[in-house]
Structures are given as structure tokens and as C-alpha cells.
């Protein structure tokens, strides 16, 4: 098995076709086809179904893709770590972040890492908490910012902060961050909510369990972006983590306020793989992530969050 075969396989999976993969790799199409076929012969499985719509991963291909990506990532990390350096921190670091935290965390983190550790290549991946946990377990990401999770055999978790959930409404509703809004007011109108089974939906349903008002749900979605777009379109109010709407409220496109009793919050944590050796670059980015997050809370740039201390070991 050769590295060029893994590169071809991953590129075809991402591009969806041999033709596009060949263009991305700057090689001829038959060479890509040959590398995929040789890899399949060596593994003894079919990695792709060849369809009119393009190359579609088989179940075996989906399993192998995960390992191939990890192998390529580890080889890239080894190359950067073994390259003679002058003492600077260098390397590739992948960080998984919840979609609802992207706007508040990623810009200051990227800026800070670029300034303090210019030799570090930062990669950001977004997903739901369950995906982030799996990616961390599988080594797809080195660090994950997720919520409501404790230590696992494969992961050590550091509590970072507690974040209140907010009611989010059109700007003309006049909700104010300093004035909590009652559940009675929120539940009286139509709501755009996460789908059943989504972590936020579970929190919402649990909090309103004892409130004798059955909400009128106008739309369910697994996308925070869609929730905000539907509020802007006048389809109703929604409930989201404050970090996900802080910029919208600041710009005046939406209004929002924390929910009154029962208060609704989630615990945001930072997860790292349990490993005998954590690369210097990963340690540096993790420390920077913690520092940037704390500064956001202390400065008021993350108004819905309060810092929490990790439990004593």
C-alpha cells in the first residue's frame, strides 16, 4: 500500500468523481483509476460503487476512508515535527467546534494562533457534539469543543464554561440581553426548534416539561443557520445558545434574551485524546483555545457564558 493510493482514494471520495480528482491532483485520469483499482485489489474489497452520478463510497469504503484520512494526517504531522526547526512550535492541529460556537470562538482563536504560533497549521471542522466526539475518538480531530460530556476511556475532558440558552426573535420583538424573557411569552407564539433527538431539543423539552403550554412548532431543523433564517423570515421565535446569535444581536438583525426560570444552560467542555504523548502544537493550540475562551467571557464578548472550574482530581 502506497501513500499515493491513499491520497487518490481520499481525493476521489471528496471530489465524487475520478475526473475531478485527477484535476485536483494534477495527474491523468487513468492514473487515478489505476491507483484505486490497485488499492481495492490489495484490500480485497470494493471501495466505490461506480454510478452515473459519480463515485459513491461503499460501506467498506466509508470505513477505510476514515483510516486513510487519519494515516495521511499522521504522516503530515510526522513530516512537520521531524523537519529541523529552530525551537518554534510547528505542526498540523485539527480542532472540532460546535456549529453554534463557530462565530464566537474561531475568529479570535485563528488570529491568536497565527500571531503566537505562525508555524502551526490550524484546521477547523464543524459538527454536532456526537460527531465531534466520534472524530476525536477516531483521531480525525486533535481537540474538540463540545458540550455536556464527561471523561471517557478514550478522551479527557476539561470543563470550560456554562452557557445559557436564549430566546431569539426578530429585531422588532425588542428582546434585551439584560432582561430575561419568560417561558410563557416564548411558548405563546410559533417556534422554530431543533429536531427531536438533537441535544438542544432535549434540553428544551426537559425544561418546559412542567409548563402547561403546548408550543406551536412551525418548523424543525438540524441547522442553527436555518433556525435563524426562519426567525428573520417571520416564521416564529427560536431557542439557541447565546454564542450562536451574539453577532446577530449586536448588529441588530435579531433580538435575544436569556430564558427566565427554569433557566436553561449547557456545559461547554474541551476534549483531548488520551495519549502517551500530545504533540507540542496540539498542546499550544489547546492552551490558546482555553485562554481565548476565558478572555471572551471576561471581556463580555461572550455574554451568555460564565466560567466554571474543573473538578479537583
Amino acid at each position: 500500500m502506497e501513500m499515493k493510493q491513499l491520497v487518490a482514494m481520499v481525493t476521489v471520495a471528496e471530489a465524487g468523481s475520478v475526473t475531478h480528482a485527477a484535476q485536483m491532483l494534477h495527474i491523468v485520469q487513468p492514473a487515478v483509476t489505476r491507483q484505486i483499482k490497485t488499492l481495492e485489489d490489495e484490500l480485497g474489497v470494493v471501495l466505490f460503487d461506480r454510478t452515473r452520478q459519480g463515485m459513491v463510497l461503499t460501506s467498506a469504503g466509508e470505513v477505510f476512508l476514515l483510516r486513510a484520512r487519519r494515516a495521511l494526517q499522521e504522516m503530515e504531522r510526522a513530516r512537520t515535527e521531524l523537519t529541523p526547526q529552530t525551537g518554534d512550535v510547528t505542526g498540523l492541529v485539527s480542532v472540532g467546534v460546535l456549529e453554534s460556537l463557530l462565530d464566537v470562538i474561531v475568529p479570535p482563536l485563528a488570529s491568536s494562533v497565527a500571531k503566537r504560533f505562525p508555524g502551526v497549521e490550524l484546521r477547523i471542522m464543524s459538527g454536532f457534539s456526537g460527531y465531534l466526539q466520534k472524530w476525536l475518538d477516531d483521531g480525525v480531530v486533535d481537540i474538540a469543543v463540545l458540550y455536556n460530556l464527561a471523561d471517557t476511556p478514550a478522551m479527557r475532558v476539561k470543563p470550560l464554561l456554562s452557557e445559557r440558552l436564549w430566546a431569539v426573535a426578530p429585531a422588532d420583538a425588542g428582546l434585551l440581553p439584560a432582561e430575561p424573557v419568560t417561558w410563557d411569552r416564548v411558548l405563546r407564539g410559533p417556534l422554530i426548534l431543533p429536531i427531536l433527538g438533537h441535544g438542544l431539543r432535549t434540553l428544551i423539552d426537559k425544561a418546559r416539561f412542567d409548563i402547561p403550554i403546548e408550543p406551536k412548532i412551525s418548523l424543525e431543523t438540524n441547522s442553527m443557520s436555518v433556525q435563524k433564517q426562519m426567525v428573520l423570515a417571520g416564521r416564529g421565535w427560536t431557542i439557541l445558545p447565546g454564542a450562536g446569535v451574539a453577532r446577530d444581536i449586536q448588529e441588530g438583525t435579531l433580538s435575544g434574551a436569556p430564558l427566565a426560570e427554569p433557566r436553561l444552560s449547557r456545559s461547554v467542555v474541551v476534549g483531548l485524546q488520551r495519549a502517551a504523548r500530545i504533540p507540542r502544537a496540539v498542546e499550544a493550540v489547546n492552551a490558546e483555545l482555553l485562554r481565548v475562551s476565558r478572555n471572551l467571557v471576561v471581556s463580555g464578548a461572550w455574554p451568555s457564558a460564565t466560567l466554571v472550574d474543573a473538578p479537583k482530581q
Side-chain angles (χ1 to χ4, degrees):
M1 188 179 301
E2 301 179 5
M3 293 300 295
K4 64 182 180 181
Q5 293 173 323
L6 299 184
V7 171
M9 189 271 176
V10 170
T11 307
V12 170
E14 293 176 348
S17 78
V18 172
T19 300
H20 291 158
Q23 293 171 348
M24 295 169 64
L25 294 172
H26 304 290
I27 58 178
V28 295
Q29 182 175 331
V32 177
T33 301
R34 183 168 58 253
Q35 288 164 4
I36 297 297
K37 182 64 169 62
T38 301
L39 183 59
E40 289 179 325
D41 290 344
E42 182 175 344
L43 294 171
V45 297
V46 176
L47 298 174
F48 292 95
D49 286 327
R50 284 73 171 170
T51 72
R52 292 182 178 179
Q53 289 72 38
M55 300 285 278
V56 179
L57 285 167
T58 63
S59 57
E62 291 177 351
V63 172
F64 188 76
L65 175 64
L66 181 64
R67 304 305 177 189
R69 280 178 171 158
R70 183 170 183 177
L72 292 174
Q73 182 171 304
E74 288 300 317
M75 289 299 295
E76 175 62 19
R77 178 171 292 124
R79 183 188 65 79
T80 57
E81 291 180 358
L82 294 176
T83 300
Q85 302 294 336
T86 60
D88 294 335
V89 177
T90 62
L92 170 67
V93 181
S94 295
V95 182
V97 183
L98 291 164
E99 180 191 7
S100 58
L101 300 181
L102 286 174
D103 287 348
V104 70
I105 284 182
V106 173
L109 176 64
S111 176
S112 184
V113 169
K115 181 179 179 180
R116 295 166 67 93
F117 306 106
V120 171
E121 179 185 345
L122 191 63
R123 291 184 181 174
I124 303 295
M125 298 181 65
S126 170
F128 299 128
S129 194
Y131 292 152
L132 296 179
Q133 181 179 351
K134 185 176 187 306
W135 291 344
L136 190 60
D137 288 341
D138 292 336
V140 175
V141 297
D142 304 296
I143 306 168
V145 185
L146 54 173
Y147 71 94
N148 293 351
L149 189 70
D151 283 348
T152 71
M155 181 193 315
R156 51 190 177 89
V157 168
K158 180 178 180 61
L160 181 58
L161 53 86
S162 177
E163 183 181 28
R164 292 185 69 175
L165 300 191
W166 286 22
V168 181
D172 59 12
L175 299 184
L176 299 173
E179 299 178 7
V181 61
T182 65
W183 279 89
D184 182 79
R185 184 179 178 191
V186 173
L187 296 176
R188 292 295 178 185
L191 287 177
I192 299 101
L193 292 180
I195 60 174
L196 288 172
H198 190 288
L200 292 182
R201 178 63 179 272
T202 301
L203 289 175
I204 293 166
D205 287 345
K206 183 177 180 181
R208 68 172 186 83
F209 182 78
D210 293 327
I211 301 174
I213 301 175
E214 189 63 28
K216 177 184 177 182
I217 301 174
S218 65
L219 183 76
E220 294 178 307
T221 176
N222 66 349
S223 168
M224 183 187 73
S225 176
V226 171
Q227 285 178 259
K228 293 196 291 185
Q229 289 173 14
M230 292 299 98
V231 173
L232 287 169
R235 293 289 301 277
W237 290 18
T238 192
I239 297 173
L240 285 170
V245 291
R247 180 181 298 177
D248 304 275
I249 293 172
Q250 184 178 20
E251 294 174 350
T253 56
L254 294 172
S255 65
L259 289 157
E261 298 297 335
R263 291 168 55 121
L264 192 54
S265 63
R266 63 176 182 176
S267 174
V268 178
V269 304
V270 177
L272 283 172
Q273 279 191 323
R274 293 188 184 275
R277 176 181 175 275
I278 302 295
R280 286 182 63 206
V282 174
E283 290 180 341
V285 171
N286 183 57
E288 203 61 18
L289 172 62
L290 298 176
R291 188 185 70 82
V292 165
S293 299
R294 290 191 181 100
N295 286 346
L296 288 169
V297 176
V298 172
S299 69
W302 197 337
S304 60
T306 55
L307 293 172
V308 295
D309 294 323
K312 295 181 179 179
Q313 300 298 319

